[in-house]
Amino acid sequence: MSTDTPPRQSKRDQLERARRRQPFQGKDRLRLAFMALGLFAAIGIFLWLRAGLDKKGDPDKVPEIGTEFQIGSDIQFPPVDISMFDSVRDDTTTQRLILEPNAFPQLLKVASALLPGHLDALGSPHFPFDNIERNAKTLRGAPFRERGEILDLKTETRTINGPEETWVLAKTDEGDRLWYVTLKQPEELFGIGGNFVVLDGFFYKLYTRSVEGERVTAPLLVGRGVRPSVRPAEPAQELDLTILADVQDVDFYQDRPIEDFGFWHLMNYVETLQNDEERLTVEFERAQPFDSNELKTIIETPSLKRGIPYRIYGRTVHAWNRANDENPTRLPFSSHCFLFKYELGDQYLRLVAPGKDALNNLGLGTEMLAYFHKFWAYTDGDDQPRRVPVFFVASFRERELKRSPLEGQIVLGFIGLFVVMLVGFGWLVLRDRKQAEVAAANLRARRQRMREKAPRS
């Protein structure tokens, strides 16, 4: 009697049969993996598009302008040896006619290293003219800054084989007179302020010198040089359209500074406006939002838009502080930045504000009240000529960002779906591995039983 026995299978056929029994095949794994990657890519694209609204622009499209001067404890002042003044006397009329042969030349040399930034760092200290005869000894070698009108100016060689010295007699707006001497001849004396100058120097002594037959006794400052200045302006309560009418826009390839009469007038106006909360509220309400249409209008007719208030928001591309030159506002520093607005593409805005660090880290949540000044030109990091509109910022306020109510739900939905697929994919992989281990164990057991039943020879 014969019995039907199944044909003996090879090891390869047995493994293939075990794999076919597994519910989670290799192609299915690959398909699920691609689905998970596709979902992950969809989430990435969504977040990338959302981040595009917060794009900060290309820093290479703005010039590399660094902070020109920063107040800090690491400023190195010219080394004034106080012991040099041990021989200096100004108690009597005769002593005030003498310039000591050792101390005076030494201070002249040291004072040639006294820069405007040194006095800026000290807060532009004024000379104490009151009771100077009593306090002269304690003030020797101290730095001061005074502004005034030139009454007399002479350049002379005072001693044989000595250096050429420039002597100035000036009178302050308060009526005080002072002597000023320097080894440097003034290169530009009569600026926009006429013969009004700024004098930075170390106090030496009370000195008497003759001017057109008159003996004048006054404090003597020794410094680096005479610089043109302007008289201080009164707080600007209103915009002066006659000043703004003379402002000229800078065209491509023109090398002109951004500062002009209109620049300082607007600086004066926004600084004055900052102290009037009620007017700021009114100005914010009447200001129109700055967008691509307003940019087009300003480009076409900039002269008609000077001093117009706008509400502006955007992101800072590059911000810095600037040490101001002599100006009628007497502000030692101003803040500057380049602003990026997504809807304007690579057309940037340049913002200016009084003081330091006023325009750092501006974001979409900040709206500014700003007044248009003019167009300014520069060459960017790619050597391409560019022009930007310049605005003066008077105030800031929080801006309510409008977001779609579905935005958060979409993000949560994508994340939830991704997590479900990730968990499901992991569960299927673990189940598939467990079933494969069970199948392999069954196969080993079957082989063991077959070896035990086989006849032994």
Side-chain angles (χ1 to χ4, degrees):
M1 180 176 175
S2 64
T3 60
D4 295 335
T5 60
R8 188 172 184 177
Q9 294 180 335
S10 65
K11 185 185 296 184
R12 179 179 299 177
D13 292 338
Q14 293 172 1
L15 290 174
E16 181 66 25
R17 182 180 178 186
R19 278 195 293 268
R20 285 197 300 268
R21 290 178 178 176
Q22 298 172 15
F24 194 43
Q25 302 297 321
K27 291 182 180 180
D28 295 330
R29 290 188 219 167
L30 189 62
R31 190 177 296 111
L32 284 174
F34 276 120
M35 289 176 62
L37 290 176
L39 182 59
F40 185 76
I43 295 175
I45 292 173
F46 178 81
L47 295 176
W48 176 75
L49 291 174
R50 185 168 176 263
L53 296 175
D54 297 335
K55 185 182 176 184
K56 294 186 178 181
D58 186 358
D60 291 335
K61 296 296 189 297
V62 300
E64 295 182 0
I65 304 176
T67 302
E68 295 186 3
F69 186 82
Q70 291 283 359
I71 295 178
S73 59
D74 57 345
I75 295 176
Q76 186 173 358
F77 283 85
V80 179
D81 185 2
I82 301 300
S83 64
M84 78 171 72
F85 301 106
D86 293 343
S87 61
V88 177
R89 299 289 184 272
D90 55 5
D91 297 321
T92 66
T93 303
T94 302
Q95 291 172 345
R96 294 174 183 178
L97 292 169
I98 299 172
L99 292 174
E100 289 73 14
N102 293 323
F104 185 68
Q106 186 177 349
L107 186 60
L108 266 176
K109 183 177 180 180
V110 173
S112 63
L114 184 65
L115 301 174
H118 292 131
L119 275 300
D120 291 336
L122 294 175
S124 302
H126 290 288
F127 188 82
F129 288 95
D130 296 337
N131 300 322
I132 181 57
E133 294 189 5
R134 185 193 310 170
N135 301 323
K137 286 185 180 180
T138 61
L139 295 176
R140 303 198 204 284
F144 296 99
R145 168 173 288 169
E146 285 299 325
R147 295 178 177 88
E149 178 184 357
I150 294 179
L151 301 178
D152 185 73
L153 186 146
K154 290 180 181 177
T155 300
E156 60 182 38
T157 302
R158 189 174 45 83
T159 60
I160 299 175
N161 297 325
E164 193 174 57
E165 301 168 353
T166 298
W167 284 82
V168 174
L169 177 63
K171 183 177 70 172
T172 68
D173 286 341
E174 291 76 22
D176 298 304
R177 292 190 292 184
L178 71 150
W179 290 106
Y180 185 85
V181 61
T182 176
L183 293 175
K184 186 178 181 181
Q185 295 188 22
E187 299 176 357
E188 181 189 3
L189 184 57
F190 301 106
I192 58 177
N195 65 343
F196 196 81
V197 295
V198 57
L199 307 170
D200 295 340
F202 296 105
F203 173 65
Y204 182 66
K205 66 184 291 183
L206 280 172
Y207 183 63
T208 301
R209 182 181 170 93
S210 296
V211 177
E212 298 180 355
E214 177 191 2
R215 281 192 170 186
V216 178
T217 300
L220 172 59
L221 298 184
V222 182
R224 176 179 174 83
V226 182
R227 295 183 292 122
S229 182
V230 290
R231 284 182 166 82
E234 294 294 329
Q237 302 295 338
E238 302 290 342
L239 286 175
D240 190 336
L241 297 183
T242 60
I243 295 178
L244 297 182
D246 292 331
V247 173
Q248 294 183 359
D249 298 281
V250 181
D251 206 347
F252 293 103
Y253 299 108
Q254 285 183 316
D255 185 15
R256 290 184 186 174
I258 192 173
E259 295 90 351
D260 51 25
F261 275 116
F263 181 95
W264 296 116
H265 179 60
L266 277 169
M267 184 78 78
N268 187 355
Y269 177 73
V270 298
E271 184 192 20
T272 304
L273 187 61
Q274 287 176 350
N275 299 319
D276 193 336
E277 291 293 334
E278 185 176 348
R279 283 192 60 195
L280 280 174
T281 302
V282 174
E283 289 292 285
F284 252 122
E285 293 303 320
R286 81 180 185 95
Q288 51 189 326
F290 187 81
D291 53 22
S292 57
N293 293 328
E294 283 300 317
L295 174 64
K296 182 179 179 181
T297 303
I298 287 180
I299 292 175
E300 294 173 349
T301 56
S303 60
L304 301 181
K305 293 293 183 176
R306 305 199 200 285
I308 297 296
Y310 290 97
R311 300 197 307 272
I312 300 176
Y313 64 89
R315 286 197 174 274
T316 301
V317 180
H318 179 53
W320 71 101
N321 297 319
R322 184 167 182 168
N324 296 327
D325 295 329
E326 284 294 296
N327 65 85
T329 69
R330 294 292 186 263
L331 286 171
F333 293 96
S334 55
S335 298
H336 299 250
C337 86
F338 280 91
L339 195 76
F340 172 81
K341 280 183 66 67
Y342 184 79
E343 62 178 302
L344 303 182
D346 64 351
Q347 174 63 67
Y348 296 94
L349 312 178
R350 180 168 178 177
L351 306 183
V352 183
K356 294 181 63 180
D357 300 324
L359 301 174
N360 295 351
N361 304 318
L362 296 177
L364 298 180
T366 301
E367 187 174 48
M368 291 161 284
L369 172 64
Y371 296 82
F372 174 65
H373 174 218
K374 68 176 182 181
F375 273 95
W376 179 72
Y378 66 95
T379 302
D380 65 19
D382 298 325
D383 292 329
Q384 297 297 318
R386 303 176 68 85
R387 287 209 315 165
V388 289
V390 180
F391 295 85
F392 277 78
V393 178
S395 183
F396 308 84
R397 70 179 181 184
E398 292 186 5
R399 173 173 170 264
E400 183 179 353
L401 297 177
K402 296 181 179 179
R403 296 188 179 275
S404 172
L406 296 177
E407 183 176 324
Q409 300 177 12
I410 294 175
V411 173
L412 292 177
F414 270 123
I415 295 176
L417 184 58
F418 178 73
V419 170
V420 169
M421 287 195 63
L422 193 63
V423 172
F425 182 71
W427 178 77
L428 290 175
V429 169
L430 291 176
R431 192 187 68 173
D432 181 53
R433 181 178 298 175
K434 186 175 181 179
Q435 290 179 348
E437 291 175 354
V438 171
N442 293 336
L443 180 60
R444 287 192 298 270
R446 189 180 301 111
R447 289 177 180 174
Q448 182 64 29
R449 289 194 298 269
M450 292 177 64
R451 283 196 293 268
E452 291 175 354
K453 293 179 179 181
R456 298 179 179 180
S457 58

